Amino acid sequence: MLYLPLIPLAPFVGFLLNGSFGRRLPKAVVSGIALVAPLISFVIVLHAALLVWSSSLTLPVIEQNAPSWISVGALHVDFGSVLDQLSLVMLLVVTGVGFIIHIYSVGYMHEDQGYWRYFAYLNLFLFFMTVLVQAGNALMMFVGWEGVGLASYLLIGFWFQKDSAANAGKKAFIVNRIGDFGFLIGLFLLLANFGTLTFTEIAARLEANPAMTGGILTAIALCLFVGATGKSAQLPLYVWLPDAMEGPTPVSALIHAATMVTAGVYMVARTHFIFDRSPLALSVVAIVGAATALFAATIGLVQTDIKRVLAYSTVSQLGYMFLGCGVAAYSAAIFHLMTHAFFKALLFLAAGSVIHAVGGEQDMRRMGGLRTKIPVTFWTMTMAVLAISGFPFMSAFFSKDAILAAAFASGSLGKVLWFVGLVTAALTAFYMFRLWYLTFFGETRNHDVHPHESPWSMLGPLVILALLSVGGGWIGAGRFGAFLSPSLGVRTEEAAGSSEYLLMVLAVAAGALGWYIAHRMYNRPSTADGLAATTPAGYDLLANKYYVDEIYGSAIVKPLLAFSKYFLEWIVDVAILGGLAWLLAGIASLGGAILQRWQSGNLRSYAAWLALGAAILLVFVLAPYVFGASGIGLNLTGH
Amino acid sequence: MNSLHMVSHEVPLAWYLLLSAVLFCLGVVGFLIKRNLITVFMSIELMLNAVNLSFVTFAHQWHQVKGQIFVFFVMMVAAAEAAVGLAIIIAVFRARATLAVDRIDLMKL
Amino acid sequence: MHLILFIIFAALCLTGAVNLLFQKQPINSALSLIVVMTSLAVLYLLLGAEFLAAAQVIVYAGAIMVLFTFVVMLLNAGREERTLGSRAARTVGFPAVVAILAVVATAFLKLQGLGTATIEDHITSTADLSTVLFTKLLLPFEVTSVLILVAILGSVALARKGDGEGTK
């Protein structure tokens, strides 16, 4: 028995229990409920994975006779879940990393007042995420999509008493909504053109129609990609992710690094059969991905908040994943998604440990020399930094390489994008090592706190994730791709052997270059200020994130506010609706005033109206007789 | 002489009815134009009488006694109504010291 | 014979009615109304309703009009004052009256099968009247007597000089 429905249901029950009763339960019970739920999900997924490994289970497992949700006319949507290679991998990542982060949260959030609320939301998130991954049709996926957006809003604004946190939550939700609009349009187009939203059916229909390319499929693909842009923080809808760092660090790790933001990549992979038919859409995806990767990396170069650096790093790495999708190397993108989950979650959790150690300080300029004081954190974070920089034989080395190789092999546009990816790799290494040096090396810049190592509930997950970051890629892109090919299709071309090695060497060299420059500049902190001094304009531009938020504010938000105020409030609300109400009242009172004059108390006018009434009555009664041609016959009936 | 006799012997009932209609309308006109309360009341009595006449005419037409009995009842009710109405007029006169119809307008809104 | 009588008394009716309208003094209007009542009594007689003719004279001309005259004299109703007219009465009322007259008259004239009245027609005797009145229509009769009792009580209560009934 696979118990697949339990995968989302266990966290949901956890949410219900902790959400309803958590306030009154002791912390131990809350933690217990909150940890058991994802554990159940993870165990089930692991069990299924083991069955597949030992070939006792063949994928895909499609749920038959699933309860029907919508059945109207030609539209049939059910609750059915799908377990295939793609969703199995994703579920492993989501439930595994999710469980680890739950354990970490027990230590991190221990002092917080809203402990029960936090875990309730976290379980809720896990519920929606698993629904999203397991969805067999686009509408169920959309349910999960919206749900994780909700959970993200709740968790970003967890410390809602802080204005900045509440605003960040709102911003995340609203920007996500914009993307969701695109997703919805895509759904409508899918429904209109295929009459169904079930993935397998759409894929089958496309297979039966090999001539169908471009046109409407491009439109559908682009609309779906807009949704992915919102959820996965790509240009132009990435602006919510840096602000989302207002939430607790484990939240940043789970939702904004490992799982939720990767939902967009997952969705593109899931609907790859549509994207495959539209070269234009694929190009758009690749270009946006590569552009975002470069753009975010440049901003990350000068950020001073440790979590902001990681946030922009996430945006950049997501760009890599979309680059992979855009060159139809879906399995490479998913591979990178998996390794990224490992090292990015580790980075965030370690950063959380650092912040915990220095008593809440998040500005790197006030850290330093922590290497000896928090050794476990230091070593685990080092593993993650090496991984993300593409250090040979670590997890990201394999996955990033697979993407870059695929890009290089995809025509002339691919080569340009490959170069962008290469530059971004150098920049990535640079800012990650910058972070590393500023945080752990040099002299202690902050003498007010006495850094202490975190409890083992926090360190344990760090160690596990470090192991995964180092060894998670050894399966190799080739075998990974082969495993996923039944659900993702096979990539048509591979780069020739020798150029692949050359590309590999170039990527490592770019990483090494980034490290070297960071070493030169930050190992002796005085050089760092020098950089800021040389190009103040450039530095300001980057430090202010290219003023994108300000541009959005004046180009979009301000006009909307003005529209709301001047048009909707003044014209529609006050003038039209208010005027309408005033008019109706006026009519009633005017009518009353007119009729009032009729009640004059004057006997003679009353008499006149009486006579008129009598006349009308008589006319009505006698008219047929009077105007009739024949005379009125006199007949007396009865006595 | 015979034709004259013949002619003067019968009156078409239509003439009675016409007379009744005219009397009724004269009563309504009086109700509208008279300014003394009592005179207005008298116009009402005139209207009632006109209707009585038409009842009697139709009773004659169909040789029904019921028509005449109805007139009887009308007279009774008219009598009662006259008594009460005049009592009201007296009460109004005591309250307002005027019998002018246009001055008695306390019922206006 | 019948015709001549009809013409005379019908003319009297009309004259009395018109005079009622034109007189300025209420007492003159009352007296004109008495003329109308009496002429109507004769017309009833011409139509063969002898009891009603008598009742008309006794009740209407003899009691009701006397009551009117008493009240006129009691209240010393003098010449009619010229007061503000009612525009509604003129603009709405008169056309209504004209309409009523036209419609009803036309209806009456269009009646078919209307007979005629002659002197030799059957006169309804009081015995016929009372037979029906006291057998088939006994209940209305009794109720009418109650009605008259109520009217008496009401008029006494209204017209009495009681407490608080004085001038305001």
Side-chain angles (χ1 to χ4, degrees), chain A residues 292-472:
Chain A
T292 309
L294 185 62
F295 182 81
T298 52
I299 301 182
L301 293 177
V302 298
Q303 294 301 312
T304 51
D305 184 323
I306 191 172
K307 285 178 72 176
R308 293 280 156 129
V309 177
L310 295 178
Y312 284 106
S313 166
T314 305
V315 177
S316 179
Q317 296 298 311
L318 287 167
Y320 267 108
M321 292 179 220
F322 279 108
L323 173 58
C325 288
V327 294
Y330 301 104
S331 53
I334 298 292
F335 191 30
H336 194 60
L337 189 157
M338 188 176 76
T339 57
H340 175 264
F342 298 148
F343 62 70
K344 194 46 70 65
L346 174 56
L347 277 171
F348 268 108
L349 293 186
S353 180
V354 168
I355 296 171
H356 178 93
V358 295
E361 178 60 67
Q362 290 186 236
D363 192 331
M364 292 188 294
R365 293 173 294 193
R366 304 245 277 276
M367 300 179 190
L370 291 173
R371 177 178 47 151
T372 43
K373 312 228 171 66
I374 43 176
V376 179
T377 309
F378 169 67
W379 279 109
T380 49
M381 193 151 192
T382 308
M383 295 296 117
V385 171
L386 288 174
I388 193 176
S389 308
F391 196 81
F393 303 114
M394 292 208 156
S395 55
F397 168 72
F398 294 103
S399 57
K400 215 188 275 202
D401 226 58
I403 292 180
L404 289 177
F408 191 79
S410 303
S412 45
L413 175 66
K415 292 189 175 41
V416 172
L417 296 177
W418 166 81
F419 185 69
V420 170
L422 194 66
V423 171
T424 311
L427 292 176
T428 306
F430 174 75
Y431 66 67
M432 286 313 305
F433 278 104
R434 167 178 173 261
L435 183 152
W436 191 57
Y437 282 121
L438 280 176
T439 311
F440 294 109
F441 287 80
E443 293 159 16
T444 314
R445 285 186 284 277
N446 188 345
H447 296 278
D448 298 329
V449 293
H450 299 287
H452 54 282
E453 191 66 272
S454 310
W456 271 102
S457 59
M458 284 167 68
L459 292 179
L462 291 182
V463 172
I464 298 176
L465 284 172
L467 290 172
L468 285 170
S469 301
V470 172

Side-chain angles (χ1 to χ4, degrees), chain A residues 192-247:
Chain A
N193 286 289
F194 291 93
T196 174
L197 290 173
T198 314
F199 293 124
T200 44
E201 282 177 32
I202 300 176
R205 243 169 262 213
L206 277 177
E207 271 218 41
N209 200 347
M212 191 176 187
T213 53
I216 191 70
L217 291 175
T218 307
I220 295 176
L222 285 177
C223 285
L224 291 176
F225 183 59
V226 169
T229 316
K231 187 66 76 186
S232 298
Q234 298 295 292
L235 288 170
L237 294 175
Y238 71 93
V239 290
W240 63 273
L241 191 49
D243 282 29
M245 296 299 116
E246 296 281 342

Side-chain angles (χ1 to χ4, degrees), chain A residues 595-596 599-604 606-611 618 634-636 638-639, chain B residues 28 31-35 37 40 58 61-62 64 66 101-102 104-105 107-109:
Chain A
L595 288 175
Q596 189 179 37
Q599 303 289 323
S600 58
N602 187 323
L603 188 68
R604 285 211 270 166
Y606 288 173
W609 292 104
L610 269 175
L618 275 174
L634 280 179
N635 30 19
L636 182 69
H639 295 26
Chain B
V28 178
F31 186 60
L32 288 175
I33 68 173
K34 294 309 260 182
R35 291 190 206 99
L37 207 51
V40 167
F58 279 114
Q61 159 77 11
W62 286 310
Q64 292 280 339
K66 284 216 187 102
V101 156
D102 297 322
I104 302 167
D105 56 359
M107 289 278 281
K108 73 166 169 236
L109 278 177

Side-chain angles (χ1 to χ4, degrees), chain C residues 68-81:
Chain C
F68 268 100
T69 317
F70 279 168
V71 171
V72 167
M73 291 194 287
L74 177 69
L75 300 184
N76 210 359
R79 197 179 168 83
E80 272 191 357
E81 316 158 11

